[in-house]
Every structure is written in structure tokens, then in C-alpha cells.
Amino acid sequence: MVINYSPISAWLSLTTGALTLLMGLFVYFRSERKQVHLLFSLVAGCLWLWSNSIALLYLQINNILGLDCSQLVLLTAVPIPLLTFFFSQTFPNRKMHYSAAALTIYLLPSILISYFILWGLIISANPINDALVISLGSHQLLFYLYIISYFTLAGYNFIRNYNRAPLIEKNKYKYFFSGILSTILIVVGFNLSSVHLFGSADLIFMGPLGTLILVGTTAYAMLKYRLMDISLVLKKTTAYSLMTFAITFFYVLVVIIFESLFRSYYGRYSFWASIPAAFVIAVTFMPVRHHLQNMTDRIFFRRTIEYQQVIKDVTKLIVSVTDLNTLFRLIDRTIVRAMCVKSVAVLLFEEKAKHYLVEKTNGHPADFLKQQLSPDSALAKYLAQAKDAVVLEECRSQQNSSLSSNELKAQMLAIGGELERFGASVAIPSFTKGRLVGILCLGEKLSGEPYSPEDLELLLTMAQEAGIAIENAKLYRDITETRDYLNDLVQGSDDAILTFDLSGKVMSWNRGAEHIFGYTAEEVMDKYPPFLSRDELQGYIDRIINNDTLKAIELEKYSKSGKPLPLLLTISPIHDQAEQIIGLSLIIKDISSLRKVEQLKHEFLSVVSHELRTPLTPIKGYLSLLLDESLGRLEVKQKEALKVILGQSNHLHDLIDSVIDISRIESGRPLELQKEPLFIEEVIQASLDASANAIAAKHINLTLLCPSEKLALMGDRKKLLRAFDNILGNAVKFTPVKGEINIAIEKDHDQLKVSIADSGIGLEDGELEKIFKPFYQVDTSYTRSCGGIGMGLSIAREIVEAHDGKLWAESGGLGKGSRFTFVI
């Protein structure tokens, strides 16, 4: 057997060995560095040494450390079967357990074969002219037996473990077996056949090239957890192997032709023979490879390319879809038709409900809709963190793996259970701005084939685009629903709700406006409103533009039939995105019924209050007679009881007066005064006498500062007394036990000034004016415990103002007391 000098073959062997070593190192450093990764890296390292020794064989470097290059080739190949056997024990995720004695037994055949190689009993090489003559020794059969034995044991382990493995690991084994098949075809086809059948060793460099395919497929199976469809792998492996064989065969012929030409011309091999061969290879390689690859794809993988193209086209389309149902139909039909899956379920995150909800199904029963998935579920959490597809078989594989931690097994069990609940073989996440907004759950393929990486990559890409489209569609749906909801509210309102542009023309007119005014929308749209004059309308527009507030404006207008309409009008501006006013919104309430109700209420209050006052007058008269003992002497306890009754009668009389005042104020009638000359000190003293018991009960320290001369004025004695009673009663009510009340009377030019200061709970600045509004009370627990209806200060101010005076409040803040002052 003769090996000719060939630097091209040596270069191919060195390149193949370097690639093999790089893949071994890549697997080791990119993995978890388990036994299987270490053994794979060792196998790759031995293959690298083997490829380099073959390169030395082609370069005819025949003496290395006292060994000829043929012996070096076999010596570097000796560890490969043994390491492959050990590798078969650990692939893909297992542990190997051997004692030191067992390892020694396995190593003995390797040591023995190495000894035979070193002594030249298996192979030797002798240089003759420009070639090496290889001679096989007497013990060559032992070498073949050694190789066959360990590879047979390794094959047995692979097949046994394959039968016990779950589906995802079986795919790894099948992928590994496809690499073995390609390697065997190449090694047997070139190495053994050329050596034993044709007596030539010129093509043994194809052996390292074949092992490179095996190393590549195995590395992919170990590092790529999610494997390709094995049927597709086998087709591609076969097709691309044939393509590679064709290209290699063509270029080998090119090299042989140029070498033969130069050998026939010069009578020996020349270096210049490699230059034209290299030029032909460099110029034609890329076009030939591209043409053959396209032709192979069209012949073998047309269906795969077609459905992948369909998904790519749909991915471009879904971005422009704004209707959620249309988007669901597009995704659903595309996946079912193109990928031929049994079932599809689309889950979307609902912001209000805070969970994922099944919005669309295909291949599931009707009651499958609206099933929920919590964001805290194992599946949702994993998808949100991993941002990758989840495959059911992968979860089961991790769950059953002896290398998985208990925590990982529990997580995979929970994820697998949720996938099964949704009938999913794979779940694809969909993200928008980093948020998991949707989950696409796909059932098994009708063919039973697993999802390939190309499938999952395309689905992930589609889901990513779908996430944006889903968010846009949900936003469009929410806007549409909100618009329809608001439109229903506007149209269903009994009030007239209409909008104008800045020219005053009607832009919208609801059914409430039709009912109130009698005009249909067709009669008033894009016209000036019939119930407002042009000047009146322009005045409202100008006031809105000037940022005036127009609320609760009472109007008297007429309907289309001439019916008078009491109305309550509120006008608001309509802004565009730039906050510019572009129109007006009017809400008009027909208050005809309210006016009638108010009139009935006023009449009722007036009648009831007068009817209550009628029996109260004789009650108070007879109480006074009893207390004066005009009807007989009374005991002390009887007098005390009668005083309480009289006090409560007076309180009831005040409440009746308040009701009468409320009725009068709401009906718009002015306060009637019966003025007479009076001294203010007498009015104040009468009020103090009436409140003496309340002041004494709280042990309040009261002081009264009066001028030396009495101050006279023209006023209504009863109403001024009532005003002061209300102010003083307010001070007594909110002054704590043992507090202080200071009353000062003074003349200020031509005015009379009275101030009542207390050490009570005080007021905040925002409350100083509000307390004079009818029925307003400061919202504190102390205020609520004191009772009252909130009319006292309002009535007091009205009485003072009816005397052309003024009443106001001052305070240093909460807890710092208050001062009420009025001038007349």
C-alpha cells in the first residue's frame, strides 16, 4: 500500500483536526462540565491528534520520537474506541460509576494494542523514492478486533439507553445516530475500501472528515437542548452529505488531474500542480455550493420552505391588524393550516382582571374559552423569565433526569401540568415592552413530529410581532368599547348633551336634547342652536376662551312647540392634543320638575313650621306661668324640671325659626325687619342670660367689655338677638371645659363693632368662609358629636347683612380658637 506526498491532503487533515478540537473545547467550556462533556472533549482531542498524524503521513515525515508516521496514526487512534465506550455510558445526561479495578480492566486491551503498535507488529512504513510504502503486520487482526469490540459495546449502550430514554432524549440519540451513519459511510467508503480493495491510501484523509461530521452532530445534540425534527435531520444529513460528497469528489478529481498532468510532463510531482487546482477550487466553490444547496432545498424540503414562508408572510401582515378577532383568526388559521397542529389556544393578559384568559381556541371544546391562568403560575413565571418557548417533552425530560435538582423537577412538574391543562405541546410567549402580554398554546402536530428549532424560531418571531399587534388591537378594542360606552351614556342621558365648534355650530346632539327641545339631530346638525341667540352663544364662547367657569347657569328658554323651559346650563371646553380649545360641550338639564318639587317643599315647610309654632306658643306661656308660681307654689325639683322643659321648648322654637328661614331663603324671599331704637348691650345681655346655664355647665370663663356709654342703633331686636344667640351658641359649643370666651363691644366711627373670641377648636384658613354656607359643618369627630344642622352662622350673617352690616371669622388655625366679628 503506497501513500504519495500530498500537501493538499495534509492541509485538509490538519484543518479537519483543528475544527474537531475547537468543537470539543467549545462543548467543554460552554457546558456544565459534566462527565459527558469531559469525555466528549477527550474524544475530540484524540481525533485531533489522529488527524494531525495522518497529515504527517501525507507529508512523509517518517521519524517522530523513533516512530514511523503509520505507527503514530494507529497509536493516536487507540484511545478513541475506549473513550467512545465510556462516552456511551454518559450520553446524553447520565453518570458513569466504575471502580479503579474495573477501569484498569477496560484499559488493559488499549495498553496491549499500543505495545503491539510500538513493536511494529501491526503496521510499519518505509520510504521509497517520493512515496511511503505501508506494510501491515502479523497482529493487525487484533487491532481490528479491539476496535470492533469497543465500538460494539458502545453501540449496545447507545441502543439500550435509547430504548429507555424519554422522547426528547430519543431525538438526541437519533440525531447522534445520523452522525454515526454519515461517518461510517465516509470512513468505510474511503479509508477501508481504498486501502483493502484498491491498495491505495491517498484518500484516508476522508476519515477525519467523516469524524468531523459525527463530532459536529454530537456537539449540537449535547448543547442544543431543543433538537430539530429527526426526519428533517435525516433528510438534510443525507442530502447535504451527498452534496458534500459530490463537491469533494469533483475537487479531488481536479487535484488528481492536475497532479497527473504535471507528473506526466515533469516525470515527478511538482508544487506548481497545486496552484491551478487551488485557483479552480477558489473560483468555483461558492457558486457550485450555492447552486447545489438551492437545488437540494427545492427537491427535498419544498413543504418545509412553503409553510415557513407562509408564517413569515403572516408575521408581516399581523402588525397592521387592529381588530383583535381578525388577528386571532389570522394566527389561528395560519398555524392550523401551515403547521397542521391538532389544537390552538390564545391566552391574553387582562389588565382589569389581572390574569391570562383564553380568548381564542381551535380544536378545543366550547367550554375551554375563558379559562384562566394566574401571572403567578409556574408557566407564566417561566415564560416571563426565560423569554423562550416551553416544550412539554422537554419538561418531562428534565423532570425524569437524574441530574435535575429537586427544585427543578418540582418546577418542571408544575409547568408540565399547566401545559397539559391547556392541551399544549408547546407554549410560545408574546412580549410587548418587556411584559408578557400573551401565550400561544399549540397542541401536537397531526403528523406526530416534534417542533423543530426552525418552527419555534418562526413562532417566536411571529409571537413577538403578534405581541405588538395584540397590544395595539387591545388598545383599539378598549378605545372602541370606551367610545361606545360613552356614546351610550350620552345618548341614553335624560339631559341634553351637545357639542359646538368655535363658530357656534352644532357638532353633536343627543336624544336627551331631542326630548327637551323637540328638534331632531338632522334639524340642528352643523347649524346654530335654535334655543340660543347668536350674541348669547358668542358670549359663552368668549368666556370659555378666556378660561371662565360656566357652571349651573339657570336659563329660561322655549322648546320647538313654544313650551317654556327652566334650564340649568353647564359649559366646558373641548381641547385637542395640543391643549388648544377647539369647541364647547354643553350639558343642559330641564329643571321644570325640580322647580315644582321645590315649590311643593317650600309650601310644605312654610305650613308645617307655622303649624308647629302655633301650639308651641301657649306651651311656652304656661311654662312661664308655672315658673312664676302664678298657678301655685312649686317644689325645687319641679322648678328644675320645668326649666329644662322651657329650655328645650326654646330650642324647638329656634329650630322652627331655622326651618322657616330655610324655606324663605330657598324661595328667594328677602328677610323682613321690624326696626326700632335699641341698645346693643341689652340684646347681648339677654343672650348671655339665656346661655348662662350652658356656660356654667362647662365652667367657661366669660368676660364682657363694654364702652362707658350705651350704644344705640335702629334694628330688629328679635333678629339681632337671634344672630347673637347663634354666634354665642357656636362659641359655647366648640369651647372645651374651663375654656374662655371674651366679648368686646366698641364704637368704630359711625359703626358698632362686636367681637366674640373663644379658646375652642379653631379653624383652618379654607374653612373661614365655608362655615357661613347653609348646612355646612366642619368635618371633625368633635363637630359631629356636638350636633346641629349647620344653619346658625348662615342665618346670623344674613341678619347682620340685612342691617347693612358685615360678619366674618378669624382663626390662628386648628386648636388656636376663633374670633367672630360683626359690624353694623
mmCIF file of all heavy atoms in Angstrom, residues 95-121:
data_model
loop_
_atom_site.group_PDB
_atom_site.id
_atom_site.type_symbol
_atom_site.label_atom_id
_atom_site.label_comp_id
_atom_site.label_asym_id
_atom_site.label_seq_id
_atom_site.Cartn_x
_atom_site.Cartn_y
_atom_site.Cartn_z
ATOM 1 N N LYS A 95 -24.560 9.517 34.516
ATOM 2 C CA LYS A 95 -23.292 9.423 35.229
ATOM 3 C C LYS A 95 -22.737 8.011 35.103
ATOM 4 O O LYS A 95 -23.476 7.032 35.101
ATOM 5 C CB LYS A 95 -23.485 9.780 36.711
ATOM 6 C CG LYS A 95 -23.686 11.252 36.966
ATOM 7 C CD LYS A 95 -23.744 11.543 38.459
ATOM 8 C CE LYS A 95 -23.920 13.034 38.720
ATOM 9 N NZ LYS A 95 -23.957 13.325 40.173
ATOM 10 N N MET A 96 -21.405 7.933 35.022
ATOM 11 C CA MET A 96 -20.724 6.647 34.916
ATOM 12 C C MET A 96 -20.096 6.315 36.260
ATOM 13 O O MET A 96 -19.397 7.150 36.849
ATOM 14 C CB MET A 96 -19.650 6.735 33.822
ATOM 15 C CG MET A 96 -18.872 5.456 33.600
ATOM 16 S SD MET A 96 -17.675 5.650 32.253
ATOM 17 C CE MET A 96 -16.580 6.883 32.969
ATOM 18 N N HIS A 97 -20.323 5.105 36.750
ATOM 19 C CA HIS A 97 -19.786 4.688 38.046
ATOM 20 C C HIS A 97 -18.941 3.430 37.841
ATOM 21 O O HIS A 97 -19.493 2.342 37.596
ATOM 22 C CB HIS A 97 -20.921 4.406 39.039
ATOM 23 C CG HIS A 97 -21.817 5.595 39.261
ATOM 24 N ND1 HIS A 97 -21.454 6.644 40.065
ATOM 25 C CD2 HIS A 97 -23.058 5.890 38.768
ATOM 26 C CE1 HIS A 97 -22.427 7.539 40.068
ATOM 27 N NE2 HIS A 97 -23.408 7.103 39.283
ATOM 28 N N TYR A 98 -17.638 3.551 37.916
ATOM 29 C CA TYR A 98 -16.714 2.414 37.787
ATOM 30 C C TYR A 98 -15.672 2.492 38.898
ATOM 31 O O TYR A 98 -15.172 3.581 39.221
ATOM 32 C CB TYR A 98 -16.005 2.416 36.433
ATOM 33 C CG TYR A 98 -16.875 1.985 35.281
ATOM 34 C CD1 TYR A 98 -17.138 2.845 34.214
ATOM 35 C CD2 TYR A 98 -17.424 0.707 35.257
ATOM 36 C CE1 TYR A 98 -17.922 2.451 33.150
ATOM 37 C CE2 TYR A 98 -18.227 0.300 34.186
ATOM 38 C CZ TYR A 98 -18.471 1.173 33.146
ATOM 39 O OH TYR A 98 -19.261 0.777 32.104
ATOM 40 N N SER A 99 -15.338 1.324 39.426
ATOM 41 C CA SER A 99 -14.252 1.262 40.410
ATOM 42 C C SER A 99 -12.913 1.327 39.700
ATOM 43 O O SER A 99 -12.822 1.186 38.469
ATOM 44 C CB SER A 99 -14.360 -0.039 41.217
ATOM 45 O OG SER A 99 -14.185 -1.152 40.348
ATOM 46 N N ALA A 100 -11.838 1.507 40.474
ATOM 47 C CA ALA A 100 -10.492 1.573 39.901
ATOM 48 C C ALA A 100 -10.130 0.258 39.228
ATOM 49 O O ALA A 100 -9.492 0.235 38.157
ATOM 50 C CB ALA A 100 -9.485 1.919 40.997
ATOM 51 N N ALA A 101 -10.551 -0.880 39.831
ATOM 52 C CA ALA A 101 -10.239 -2.194 39.253
ATOM 53 C C ALA A 101 -10.929 -2.362 37.907
ATOM 54 O O ALA A 101 -10.332 -2.867 36.937
ATOM 55 C CB ALA A 101 -10.680 -3.293 40.213
ATOM 56 N N ALA A 102 -12.195 -1.928 37.804
ATOM 57 C CA ALA A 102 -12.925 -2.053 36.546
ATOM 58 C C ALA A 102 -12.305 -1.197 35.455
ATOM 59 O O ALA A 102 -12.164 -1.624 34.301
ATOM 60 C CB ALA A 102 -14.391 -1.667 36.760
ATOM 61 N N LEU A 103 -11.902 0.009 35.813
ATOM 62 C CA LEU A 103 -11.257 0.893 34.839
ATOM 63 C C LEU A 103 -9.955 0.287 34.343
ATOM 64 O O LEU A 103 -9.601 0.391 33.154
ATOM 65 C CB LEU A 103 -11.014 2.269 35.451
ATOM 66 C CG LEU A 103 -12.259 3.141 35.687
ATOM 67 C CD1 LEU A 103 -11.884 4.415 36.423
ATOM 68 C CD2 LEU A 103 -12.919 3.500 34.358
ATOM 69 N N THR A 104 -9.213 -0.359 35.251
ATOM 70 C CA THR A 104 -7.949 -0.991 34.863
ATOM 71 C C THR A 104 -8.191 -2.104 33.858
ATOM 72 O O THR A 104 -7.456 -2.245 32.864
ATOM 73 C CB THR A 104 -7.235 -1.547 36.116
ATOM 74 O OG1 THR A 104 -7.033 -0.480 37.044
ATOM 75 C CG2 THR A 104 -5.902 -2.166 35.739
ATOM 76 N N ILE A 105 -9.237 -2.898 34.078
ATOM 77 C CA ILE A 105 -9.569 -3.995 33.154
ATOM 78 C C ILE A 105 -9.904 -3.442 31.769
ATOM 79 O O ILE A 105 -9.484 -3.978 30.740
ATOM 80 C CB ILE A 105 -10.725 -4.825 33.717
ATOM 81 C CG1 ILE A 105 -10.270 -5.560 34.991
ATOM 82 C CG2 ILE A 105 -11.239 -5.813 32.685
ATOM 83 C CD1 ILE A 105 -11.385 -6.270 35.723
ATOM 84 N N TYR A 106 -10.678 -2.354 31.730
ATOM 85 C CA TYR A 106 -11.027 -1.758 30.445
ATOM 86 C C TYR A 106 -9.807 -1.176 29.738
ATOM 87 O O TYR A 106 -9.749 -1.120 28.504
ATOM 88 C CB TYR A 106 -12.079 -0.663 30.634
ATOM 89 C CG TYR A 106 -13.475 -1.193 30.851
ATOM 90 C CD1 TYR A 106 -14.174 -0.931 32.021
ATOM 91 C CD2 TYR A 106 -14.107 -1.958 29.876
ATOM 92 C CE1 TYR A 106 -15.458 -1.415 32.220
ATOM 93 C CE2 TYR A 106 -15.392 -2.447 30.076
ATOM 94 C CZ TYR A 106 -16.058 -2.179 31.242
ATOM 95 O OH TYR A 106 -17.329 -2.668 31.431
ATOM 96 N N LEU A 107 -8.811 -0.734 30.514
ATOM 97 C CA LEU A 107 -7.631 -0.106 29.921
ATOM 98 C C LEU A 107 -6.625 -1.129 29.384
ATOM 99 O O LEU A 107 -5.822 -0.803 28.501
ATOM 100 C CB LEU A 107 -6.939 0.788 30.963
ATOM 101 C CG LEU A 107 -7.580 2.149 31.233
ATOM 102 C CD1 LEU A 107 -6.925 2.816 32.421
ATOM 103 C CD2 LEU A 107 -7.449 3.042 30.002
ATOM 104 N N LEU A 108 -6.633 -2.349 29.894
ATOM 105 C CA LEU A 108 -5.623 -3.347 29.517
ATOM 106 C C LEU A 108 -5.567 -3.612 28.019
ATOM 107 O O LEU A 108 -4.463 -3.655 27.436
ATOM 108 C CB LEU A 108 -5.872 -4.649 30.291
ATOM 109 C CG LEU A 108 -5.392 -4.650 31.756
ATOM 110 C CD1 LEU A 108 -5.775 -5.955 32.441
ATOM 111 C CD2 LEU A 108 -3.882 -4.422 31.831
ATOM 112 N N PRO A 109 -6.703 -3.827 27.317
ATOM 113 C CA PRO A 109 -6.615 -4.044 25.867
ATOM 114 C C PRO A 109 -5.965 -2.882 25.137
ATOM 115 O O PRO A 109 -5.204 -3.094 24.187
ATOM 116 C CB PRO A 109 -8.068 -4.226 25.453
ATOM 117 C CG PRO A 109 -8.771 -4.689 26.679
ATOM 118 C CD PRO A 109 -8.092 -3.987 27.804
ATOM 119 N N SER A 110 -6.256 -1.649 25.561
ATOM 120 C CA SER A 110 -5.667 -0.489 24.910
ATOM 121 C C SER A 110 -4.157 -0.484 25.097
ATOM 122 O O SER A 110 -3.386 -0.180 24.162
ATOM 123 C CB SER A 110 -6.267 0.802 25.481
ATOM 124 O OG SER A 110 -7.660 0.815 25.330
ATOM 125 N N ILE A 111 -3.710 -0.821 26.308
ATOM 126 C CA ILE A 111 -2.268 -0.849 26.581
ATOM 127 C C ILE A 111 -1.595 -1.936 25.743
ATOM 128 O O ILE A 111 -0.505 -1.732 25.166
ATOM 129 C CB ILE A 111 -2.024 -1.079 28.086
ATOM 130 C CG1 ILE A 111 -2.590 0.102 28.903
ATOM 131 C CG2 ILE A 111 -0.535 -1.269 28.367
ATOM 132 C CD1 ILE A 111 -2.583 -0.122 30.397
ATOM 133 N N LEU A 112 -2.254 -3.088 25.649
ATOM 134 C CA LEU A 112 -1.695 -4.205 24.890
ATOM 135 C C LEU A 112 -1.582 -3.857 23.402
ATOM 136 O O LEU A 112 -0.542 -4.110 22.766
ATOM 137 C CB LEU A 112 -2.573 -5.442 25.084
ATOM 138 C CG LEU A 112 -2.067 -6.742 24.447
ATOM 139 C CD1 LEU A 112 -0.722 -7.136 25.056
ATOM 140 C CD2 LEU A 112 -3.067 -7.865 24.636
ATOM 141 N N ILE A 113 -2.637 -3.269 22.832
ATOM 142 C CA ILE A 113 -2.609 -2.883 21.424
ATOM 143 C C ILE A 113 -1.526 -1.845 21.179
ATOM 144 O O ILE A 113 -0.806 -1.884 20.155
ATOM 145 C CB ILE A 113 -3.989 -2.371 20.979
ATOM 146 C CG1 ILE A 113 -5.022 -3.501 20.994
ATOM 147 C CG2 ILE A 113 -3.919 -1.742 19.600
ATOM 148 C CD1 ILE A 113 -4.712 -4.637 20.037
ATOM 149 N N SER A 114 -1.363 -0.885 22.090
ATOM 150 C CA SER A 114 -0.325 0.125 21.950
ATOM 151 C C SER A 114 1.058 -0.524 21.938
ATOM 152 O O SER A 114 1.957 -0.116 21.179
ATOM 153 C CB SER A 114 -0.425 1.139 23.103
ATOM 154 O OG SER A 114 -1.678 1.785 23.088
ATOM 155 N N TYR A 115 1.250 -1.517 22.764
ATOM 156 C CA TYR A 115 2.531 -2.255 22.815
ATOM 157 C C TYR A 115 2.810 -2.908 21.471
ATOM 158 O O TYR A 115 3.924 -2.840 20.939
ATOM 159 C CB TYR A 115 2.472 -3.289 23.931
ATOM 160 C CG TYR A 115 3.688 -4.186 24.009
ATOM 161 C CD1 TYR A 115 4.867 -3.744 24.586
ATOM 162 C CD2 TYR A 115 3.628 -5.482 23.477
ATOM 163 C CE1 TYR A 115 5.977 -4.573 24.645
ATOM 164 C CE2 TYR A 115 4.734 -6.317 23.529
ATOM 165 C CZ TYR A 115 5.915 -5.860 24.123
ATOM 166 O OH TYR A 115 7.004 -6.679 24.166
ATOM 167 N N PHE A 116 1.804 -3.570 20.878
ATOM 168 C CA PHE A 116 1.985 -4.223 19.585
ATOM 169 C C PHE A 116 2.328 -3.202 18.503
ATOM 170 O O PHE A 116 3.133 -3.479 17.603
ATOM 171 C CB PHE A 116 0.716 -4.985 19.195
ATOM 172 C CG PHE A 116 0.448 -6.201 20.043
ATOM 173 C CD1 PHE A 116 -0.844 -6.681 20.230
ATOM 174 C CD2 PHE A 116 1.505 -6.877 20.662
ATOM 175 C CE1 PHE A 116 -1.083 -7.798 21.003
ATOM 176 C CE2 PHE A 116 1.261 -8.002 21.451
ATOM 177 C CZ PHE A 116 -0.022 -8.460 21.632
ATOM 178 N N ILE A 117 1.702 -2.006 18.569
ATOM 179 C CA ILE A 117 1.981 -0.976 17.564
ATOM 180 C C ILE A 117 3.424 -0.503 17.684
ATOM 181 O O ILE A 117 4.148 -0.349 16.679
ATOM 182 C CB ILE A 117 1.005 0.197 17.725
ATOM 183 C CG1 ILE A 117 -0.423 -0.235 17.367
ATOM 184 C CG2 ILE A 117 1.414 1.379 16.850
ATOM 185 C CD1 ILE A 117 -1.485 0.788 17.687
ATOM 186 N N LEU A 118 3.861 -0.255 18.910
ATOM 187 C CA LEU A 118 5.216 0.239 19.128
ATOM 188 C C LEU A 118 6.272 -0.761 18.633
ATOM 189 O O LEU A 118 7.366 -0.356 18.183
ATOM 190 C CB LEU A 118 5.429 0.545 20.616
ATOM 191 C CG LEU A 118 4.638 1.735 21.183
ATOM 192 C CD1 LEU A 118 4.797 1.824 22.691
ATOM 193 C CD2 LEU A 118 5.102 3.035 20.528
ATOM 194 N N TRP A 119 6.010 -2.059 18.701
ATOM 195 C CA TRP A 119 6.951 -3.090 18.261
ATOM 196 C C TRP A 119 6.781 -3.447 16.795
ATOM 197 O O TRP A 119 7.430 -4.377 16.295
ATOM 198 C CB TRP A 119 6.802 -4.353 19.120
ATOM 199 C CG TRP A 119 7.444 -4.172 20.467
ATOM 200 C CD1 TRP A 119 6.855 -3.788 21.601
ATOM 201 C CD2 TRP A 119 8.827 -4.369 20.762
ATOM 202 N NE1 TRP A 119 7.756 -3.707 22.642
ATOM 203 C CE2 TRP A 119 9.005 -4.072 22.133
ATOM 204 C CE3 TRP A 119 9.958 -4.775 20.015
ATOM 205 C CZ2 TRP A 119 10.239 -4.161 22.767
ATOM 206 C CZ3 TRP A 119 11.192 -4.869 20.648
ATOM 207 C CH2 TRP A 119 11.317 -4.554 22.014
ATOM 208 N N GLY A 120 5.915 -2.695 16.079
ATOM 209 C CA GLY A 120 5.774 -2.914 14.645
ATOM 210 C C GLY A 120 5.050 -4.175 14.274
ATOM 211 O O GLY A 120 5.195 -4.657 13.134
ATOM 212 N N LEU A 121 4.256 -4.737 15.170
ATOM 213 C CA LEU A 121 3.548 -5.990 14.896
ATOM 214 C C LEU A 121 2.218 -5.773 14.192
ATOM 215 O O LEU A 121 1.578 -6.745 13.788
ATOM 216 C CB LEU A 121 3.319 -6.748 16.206
ATOM 217 C CG LEU A 121 4.574 -7.155 16.989
ATOM 218 C CD1 LEU A 121 4.199 -7.816 18.286
ATOM 219 C CD2 LEU A 121 5.452 -8.085 16.138
#
